Amino acid sequence: EAGVAQSPRYKIIEKRQSVAFWCNPISGHATLYWYQQILGQGPKLLIQFQNNGVVDDSQLPKDRFSAERLKGVDSTLKIQPAKLEDSAVYLCASSLVGVPDTQYFGPGTRLTVL
Amino acid sequence: DQQVKQNSPSLSVQEGRISILNCDYTNSMFDYFLWYKKYPAEGPTFLISISSIKDKNEDGRFTVFLNKSAKHLSLHIVPSQPGDSAVYFCAAGRSNFGNEKLTFGTGTRLTIIP
């Protein structure tokens, strides 16, 4: 079974530039999550989708971050414009609907904002 | 408000001995708990979980203990092996259907000394 795929793996941008990250979840997983992990901290949920609807985006900085999940499969997370404090690893995870426990994570995208 | 706390940022254990990683939580609504393991440049990998109806769950060398009255859980690894060297995250959530949000601790870096 293929795991969660993410791209790119690394990205370096200047502040005020835009960036987008892509995630392809495990086939059949209806729930998709984007997390931000700042160095030395645990992953923090940014947004959660169930199919292509948003379940929770309470911690998403909506003035600069946006995310979509078209057709309930792939998802894109965008930052526009980026700030220095956005430097982090952005993790995508997926899980089966109705399963409260196991989330499967992708390898993450390490973003550096200069 | 840090609802899930891992107070030890690092831990070193001799190979073959027991590793004990601790986690405390403050939200009494949490009813399921998980441990994830993370290697550098990879996403977190699910290790073991426990629901609040149990006080112990075992899977091979890994055992998780839950003390609900103390709002404390621990992960025991016996015997510890060099491949166990990684960062371990404790996570907690509520098992309401459609509300599968996890709150992560800050992680404990475990180093197994050969």
Side-chain angles (χ1 to χ4, degrees), chain A residues 52-106:
Chain A
N52 53 347
V54 175
V55 174
D56 186 338
D57 64 356
S58 57
Q59 299 190 95
L60 186 74
K62 298 181 187 64
D63 57 335
R64 298 184 300 106
F65 286 64
S66 64
E68 60 182 8
R69 190 183 184 197
L70 300 176
K71 302 179 182 178
V73 182
D74 293 6
S75 178
T76 303
L77 176 70
K78 296 179 182 177
I79 308 175
Q80 179 180 8
K83 292 186 175 181
L84 296 176
E85 59 261 35
D86 298 331
S87 293
V89 175
Y90 291 85
L91 294 161
C92 179
S94 69
S95 69
L96 289 168
V97 175
V99 176
D101 52 0
T102 307
Q103 295 182 16
Y104 296 88
F105 284 82

Side-chain angles (χ1 to χ4, degrees), chain B residues 11-25:
Chain B
L11 176 68
S12 294
V13 174
Q14 207 77 30
E15 181 179 359
R17 306 291 285 266
I18 182 171
S19 295
I20 300 176
L21 294 93
N22 294 302
C23 178
D24 297 294
Y25 62 97

